[in-house]
Amino acid sequence: MTYHTTPAPWHIEHVHWGGQVDRKVVAACGNVVAITPDGISRETAEANARLIAAAPELLAALKRVCNEFDTDYSGGALAGAVAQARVAVEQAEAQP
């Protein structure tokens, strides 16, 4: 199966309305990927938006790490980190 996401890069746009600020994560193509919810602190909303916006680059980095260290690699803490990266990639690319 082919894995599809909205094309990167993603960035944050701040939308001001009624004394509030919404943080939208927007893809390069203009599609809105996410909007941070009301009811959380400004700092948490900003941190969530930054994490979501970085998701394509984070996934690409994890996939590169997984590719660099094939399944035959075993080396202590690094092996555990690579295994954790593989699980994260599998979760990100899981089909509904």
Side-chain angles (χ1 to χ4, degrees):
M1 276 187 183
T2 304
Y3 176 71
H4 299 282
T5 63
T6 306
W10 297 353
H11 65 276
I12 301 168
E13 292 182 2
H14 295 89
V15 180
H16 301 268
W17 62 276
Q20 300 220 359
V21 178
D22 280 344
R23 287 148 191 88
K24 297 190 310 183
V25 178
V26 181
C29 62
N31 291 347
V32 175
V33 177
I35 299 174
T36 57
D38 291 336
I40 58 175
S41 73
R42 180 177 23 170
E43 294 81 12
T44 299
E46 192 69 31
N48 289 346
R50 284 193 311 269
L51 180 60
I52 294 166
E57 289 83 4
L58 292 168
L59 180 59
L62 285 177
K63 289 171 84 170
R64 184 172 178 196
V65 166
C66 292
N67 288 335
E68 291 293 324
F69 297 97
D70 64 18
T71 55
D72 296 332
Y73 182 81
S74 59
L78 183 57
V82 171
Q84 186 176 12
R86 289 185 199 288
V87 169
V89 170
E90 288 172 8
Q91 288 175 341
E93 294 185 338
Q95 298 296 316

